[in-house]
Amino acid sequence: MGLLRVMMPPKLQLLALLAFAVAMFFLENQIQKLEESRGKLERAIARHEVREIEQRHTQDGLRERDLSASVLSDSEEDVVIIYNRVPKTASTSFTNIAYDLCGKNHYHVLHINTTKNNPVMSIQDQVRFVKNVTEWREMKPAFYHGHVSFLDFTKFGVKKKPIYINVIRDPIERLVSYYYFLRFGDDYRPGLRRRKQGDKKCSKCLSGGSDCAPEKLWLQIPFFCGHYSECWNVGSQWALEQAKYNLVNEYMLVGVTEELEDFVMMLEAALPRFFRGATELYKTGKKSHLRKTSEKKPPTKESTAKLQQSAIWKMENEFYEFALEQFQFVRAHAVREKDGELYLLAQNFFYEKIYPKN
């Protein structure tokens, strides 16, 4: 620059300085514009990344919601109920409600028909039955019913057990009903001829007839006790205790014949997937609960008192009273009566103090 100043005239030197200054200003302006453009680009990229993240979160949330809904739906569709019905406890009347509702509520009803109504299955049939109940997906959700004693599914390595329900009855009333049923049938199939003949007076039967022997009372205990040999040893204290244990630990709900409407109402509240509309059907239906044993007459006080002296009646009655107390306990926390009508209680729990806070 010093050499140029010597050789260039002053005017040219001034012009050169001005040109240099203009060039520097232009260059700085371009650099500033580039910086601004780069900032805009970075902000655009950042906004795009944020949108992508938000979109992924939204999609993940939708997938999780869909998955949760799918899991819930699958769990509802995978439900199996087993009603191992005790004879002459209004079991046919209750089962007819399930048949009436299965089309509307979209589930299957299957009758377990054992040879000669034997309530105990062979070990090979137990395996087949457990496999059918747990793996027969085409039949799920399902309501199985039949005169079969309780079967413990956990013994066969099953993770998801079926839901057991049942109904029991005052043991003497059940025996009297069964006695007359075998001789006269009922109004469900009035034309069917029954195989039992002979004495038609239950009072005489209760006074010593073989069909009304105390051993004939031993039925509800073994049905709840299950497939153990001791369950079927008449008068077994172990069987009584096992039946009690199963009732409170393996059955979702056990009702009593004398309070069947309450039983139906609580099932509808607890398992609407199966029993939606059951209470109204029970109250107004024309066929679901009309089965009655024909020609049934109550026994005399003397014959009833004689039967109640037996140790077997005392055990069966103890089990019945135990089941009745449990049912009334459950009902007291689920149902209220007002003006002669039953009402289900509203939900009585809620969630609070939910952490972490979002």
Side-chain angles (χ1 to χ4, degrees), residues 26 67 238 275:
F26 177 78
L67 179 60
W238 182 91
F275 297 104

Side-chain angles (χ1 to χ4, degrees), residues 152-170:
D152 183 4
F153 275 57
T154 58
K155 292 172 58 178
F156 302 87
V158 173
K159 294 182 179 179
K160 184 172 182 178
K161 300 189 294 184
I163 297 174
Y164 268 95
I165 62 173
N166 216 327
V167 178
I168 69 171
R169 188 175 185 177
D170 176 275

